[in-house]
Amino acid sequence: MRRLTPARLRLFLGLLLVAVSVPTAVLIVHTQRQIKWEAYYQYRSLADELGQRIDGQLQRLISAEEARGYADYRFLVLGGDPARSSYVQRSPLAEFPVRSDIPGLLGYFQVDTEGTFSTPLFPDASTDSTQWGLSEAEVAQRSALRDQLLDVLSRNRLVQQRRGKERAPASIAKSAPASPTPFVSASRDDAPRYTPAQEAFDTLNAPVESARQPNALGQLKDLKIERDFQDEERKREASGKKADMEPMQKAKILPRAPRKEQSALLEPERGIAGGGASIGERARVRMFESAIDPFDFVLLDSGHFVLFRKVWRNGQRTIQGAIIEQAAFLRGALSEPFQETALAQMSNLVVAYQGDVLILIPGRGGRPSYSSAEELEGTQLYQTRLSAPLGKLQLLWTINRLPASPGAGIVTWTSLVLFGVLTLGFFALYRLGLRQITLARQQQDFVSAVSHELKTPLTSIRMYGEMLREGWVSEEKKREYYDFIHDESERLSRLIANVLQLARMERNDLRLDLKNVRVATLMQLLRSKVNGQIKRAGFQMHFKMEEACAQCELQVDADAFIQIIINLVDNALKFAARAENKTVDISVRPRGTDAVIWSVRDYGPGVPQSQMKKIFQLFYRPGSELTRETVGTGIGLALVRQLARAMGGEVDALNREPGAEFEVILPVGEA
């Protein structure tokens, strides 16, 4: 402690705080990153699960479409028992309004090898629509839908719109069905024969640059999103740390291959009579085998999706498919399932086709809408592609805000509490160490002061004693020397009494004999104890006692009380030694009915305001030991306060004009 200075203490505690804080901070940061990573991975798993669920649902819908037969794309199909009246019936695709589980599906179409457009929604022009329960209004609506489908295909240059040139086969006569013909092989190994009218469908999936206009929302590469977690994931994969997490379960992609189908088509010669209940005599049912390719899913220049397949029959190809409205499809197949999950609370969903952003689906915690992909900000959560034939559709989730997990909240609060405890603890250690340094220095000063206080009077007593013993002093000087020896002895007695009292208080061994003593009695004791001390110092003493408290009894230890007042008087004599008015006032007055105030006032320089709270500290002495002009040990006022408090009282210091006044407030004793 002797070598330790406040600067060294601050340096030591600062280094110790850094040594403790840095590993703790690293541990907390690592824990937070791990918790954040686990939360990210959890939501990434939710995004992967949602992507698989969406993909699986769409795959089931497309599988249901792929299960439809070649003949279903006509208005009339054959089904059931040929002997029954329901043998000839409407195709399931001929329902109006169009019913499909695929969101946004407008209607079905077929393009034959000559490029002729047809739809199962509308019967042949030569067929009497009323025979099939179609009203004129419904025929008009079906015709409008047919024109809409034809317009979409023609605007995208997939078919040539031929108005007024549709070929109308003859009606089917009402008669018994003809015998079916043998099956005809129609595998794709046969020499294909199709006209250039279908070549536009072959270019839809060609690996060339899209001729579509740039999307207004931009491209995926334009997204200004961070990929911190992806970088973290790559680091973990490189270091093998990802092994402790369950890998993402990818949806099983079923093989997509052409299938063969045996179909029966009604090939009429004279049409259908009697409401289509039977088949004409000259009609025939042709049985054949066809090869059906899997569906393709393409975005057209007009913004519509087309779901189409190629059907091979007798070496000729037919295109069958459906037109899907983009906005309705994205809303029903992607947006609504996304909004129903917890992901919508903290992320956005971006849907792109071959890199072009189709739609930005904002989550519930983000902006209501975006006009450009460049406006989207955040961190990438997960990106995936749908399975074929939707493989060109990409789904990307971006994080608006990653919700804090309960563990993260606990770590945060624990970190704050820990750093608070560390800060307060080190601050307390600094204050304690600083106090110990100050105390050690004060103790050194105290030892020096006590040595000086003891050595000076002892030297004087020894010198005057030797002079008296050797007879070197005249008779008239002897009295003066005896008085000096007596005063120095009293001074030594007070010093020793203070030191002994301090030792007892430090050992918590202070024992006071509290008794009820009248104020007048205490005043008389004071007069006899301090009169000589004040006169020898060249001061005048004024005593003042109000009559209202003369007969009051205080429960005090008389010796401790006298020691308090003597210390205060001694303090006044030391600090007012150079005052012009060399007077010390001792007064007593009541404070209400339950306390009495004893005051000792001098007319010296007073106490600096900055030292008002320090003068009662143990060993405190104002100024430097090298430049201090007053004597003392620094324990007098500290003993005054402790003794007063031991008797249930309190001490206070006040500045007067001029001088200082010390008040000792003692409670009135019980009767």
Side-chain angles (χ1 to χ4, degrees), residues 278-328:
S278 61
I279 304 175
E281 295 178 352
R282 300 180 60 185
R284 61 176 181 173
V285 177
R286 182 174 178 80
M287 306 295 293
F288 65 92
E289 185 181 79
S290 58
I292 302 177
D293 287 349
F295 271 109
D296 288 323
F297 186 84
V298 179
L299 177 63
L300 302 178
D301 295 341
S302 62
H304 295 82
F305 289 114
V306 58
L307 183 68
F308 69 97
R309 67 184 182 182
K310 302 170 185 177
V311 181
W312 303 83
R313 174 191 172 194
N314 295 332
Q316 295 183 347
R317 187 177 68 175
T318 301
I319 304 298
Q320 296 177 337
I323 303 297
I324 301 173
E325 186 181 16
Q326 180 186 143

Side-chain angles (χ1 to χ4, degrees), residues 292-581:
I292 302 177
D293 287 349
F295 271 109
D296 288 323
F297 186 84
V298 179
L299 177 63
L300 302 178
D301 295 341
S302 62
H304 295 82
F305 289 114
V306 58
L307 183 68
F308 69 97
R309 67 184 182 182
K310 302 170 185 177
V311 181
W312 303 83
R313 174 191 172 194
N314 295 332
Q316 295 183 347
R317 187 177 68 175
T318 301
I319 304 298
Q320 296 177 337
I323 303 297
I324 301 173
E325 186 181 16
Q326 180 186 143
F329 175 78
L330 296 179
R331 181 177 60 254
L334 301 174
S335 179
E336 292 178 359
F338 167 68
Q339 295 292 346
E340 293 173 356
T341 63
L343 289 172
Q345 298 178 358
M346 44 74 67
S347 66
N348 301 320
L349 175 59
V350 181
V351 182
Y353 182 87
Q354 287 187 322
D356 292 332
V357 177
L358 298 182
I359 186 174
L360 296 170
I361 305 175
R364 293 191 288 271
R367 291 173 51 178
S369 62
Y370 296 90
S371 60
S372 173
E374 296 181 354
E375 299 177 1
L376 189 66
E377 298 179 352
T379 304
Q380 180 173 325
L381 176 65
Y382 181 64
Q383 183 175 359
T384 187
R385 288 180 179 269
L386 299 182
S387 303
L390 308 176
K392 296 178 182 179
L393 283 177
Q394 299 168 266
L395 306 181
L396 185 145
W397 283 265
T398 63
I399 302 173
N400 290 327
R401 57 176 183 84
L402 192 61
S405 63
I410 293 176
V411 171
T412 300
W413 283 107
T414 304
S415 304
L416 294 176
V417 171
L418 179 59
F419 276 108
V421 170
L422 284 176
T423 303
L424 292 177
F426 276 89
F427 180 74
L429 284 176
Y430 173 72
R431 293 293 301 272
L432 179 61
L434 194 61
R435 182 176 298 177
Q436 291 299 319
I437 292 175
T438 304
L439 181 62
R441 291 182 176 178
Q442 289 176 343
Q443 288 176 344
Q444 293 176 6
D445 296 340
F446 171 73
V447 172
S448 299
V450 169
S451 300
H452 178 74
E453 291 288 324
L454 292 174
K455 185 177 181 180
T456 300
L458 285 176
T459 302
S460 300
I461 292 172
R462 181 177 179 181
M463 180 185 67
Y464 287 117
E466 289 179 352
M467 293 175 65
L468 291 172
R469 185 187 64 182
E470 298 295 334
W472 296 343
V473 182
S474 61
E475 291 296 329
E476 58 271 14
K477 287 287 186 178
K478 287 184 180 181
R479 181 66 182 179
E480 180 182 349
Y481 286 0
Y482 287 141
D483 290 340
F484 184 82
I485 292 173
H486 179 270
D487 293 341
E488 292 299 315
S489 300
E490 289 290 333
R491 179 180 170 188
L492 287 176
S493 298
R494 291 195 300 271
L495 176 61
I496 294 172
N498 286 341
V499 173
L500 293 176
Q501 196 73 275
L502 174 65
R504 285 194 293 268
M505 298 182 73
E506 289 294 320
R507 297 194 306 267
N508 293 324
D509 194 26
L510 179 62
R511 296 179 182 180
L512 299 180
D513 185 15
L514 300 180
K515 296 180 180 180
N516 288 341
V517 183
R518 288 189 302 171
V519 172
T521 304
L522 293 175
M523 183 62 79
Q524 292 177 358
L525 289 174
L526 282 177
R527 287 176 182 272
S528 62
K529 292 290 185 180
V530 301
N531 261 331
Q533 177 186 1
I534 293 176
K535 288 181 180 180
R536 282 188 294 273
F539 278 73
Q540 294 182 355
M541 176 65 68
H542 291 164
F543 293 93
K544 182 179 179 181
M545 179 176 60
E546 295 187 10
E547 293 296 332
C549 61
Q551 300 303 319
C552 292
E553 291 188 351
L554 304 180
Q555 193 172 28
V556 297
D557 185 303
D559 294 335
F561 174 78
I562 297 300
Q563 187 176 2
I564 289 175
I565 302 301
I566 288 176
N567 284 345
L568 292 178
V569 170
D570 188 57
N571 186 75
L573 296 177
K574 285 189 296 185
F575 288 95
R578 296 185 179 182
E580 295 181 0
N581 186 0

Side-chain angles (χ1 to χ4, degrees), residues 76-254:
L76 296 177
V77 296
L78 301 176
D81 187 359
R84 301 179 62 181
S85 60
S86 61
Y87 186 49
V88 179
Q89 57 189 5
R90 292 187 196 180
S91 169
L93 304 184
E95 294 183 0
F96 188 84
V98 177
R99 297 179 181 178
S100 175
D101 292 333
I102 297 179
L105 192 143
L106 295 178
Y108 297 89
F109 70 90
Q110 178 174 275
V111 179
D112 62 14
T113 188
E114 297 180 1
T116 302
F117 167 84
S118 63
T119 174
L121 295 171
F122 198 83
D124 294 336
S126 60
T127 303
D128 187 2
S129 301
T130 59
Q131 296 177 355
W132 300 97
L134 303 180
S135 64
E136 293 183 1
E138 185 177 350
V139 170
Q141 294 174 353
R142 287 174 177 263
S143 178
L145 180 56
R146 180 195 64 179
D147 293 342
Q148 182 182 358
L149 297 176
L150 180 58
D151 181 68
V152 171
L153 294 177
S154 62
R155 279 192 292 128
N156 291 279
R157 300 177 297 278
L158 295 178
V159 297
Q160 294 182 359
Q161 193 167 1
R162 305 172 185 174
R163 298 193 179 277
K165 296 183 179 181
E166 286 81 357
R167 184 173 55 189
S171 301
I172 302 176
K174 182 179 180 180
S175 179
S179 301
T181 59
F183 290 102
V184 179
S185 174
S187 65
R188 291 186 58 180
D189 295 335
D190 298 338
R193 298 189 301 275
Y194 55 91
T195 64
Q198 295 181 349
E199 290 182 354
F201 285 94
D202 295 326
T203 62
L204 291 179
N205 287 322
V208 295
E209 292 292 333
S210 175
R212 296 190 304 274
Q213 295 294 328
N215 197 300
L217 292 177
Q219 296 183 329
L220 282 180
K221 63 182 181 180
D222 299 328
L223 297 178
K224 297 180 180 179
I225 57 176
E226 300 176 358
R227 292 176 171 82
D228 298 339
F229 289 109
Q230 280 66 37
D231 297 338
E232 178 71 15
E233 184 176 11
R234 284 192 290 271
K235 293 179 181 178
R236 288 173 176 266
E237 289 177 350
S239 61
K241 293 182 179 180
K242 196 179 177 181
D244 58 340
M245 296 186 179
E246 295 183 1
M248 296 282 184
Q249 297 294 330
K250 297 298 182 183
K252 295 182 179 179
I253 302 177
L254 299 177

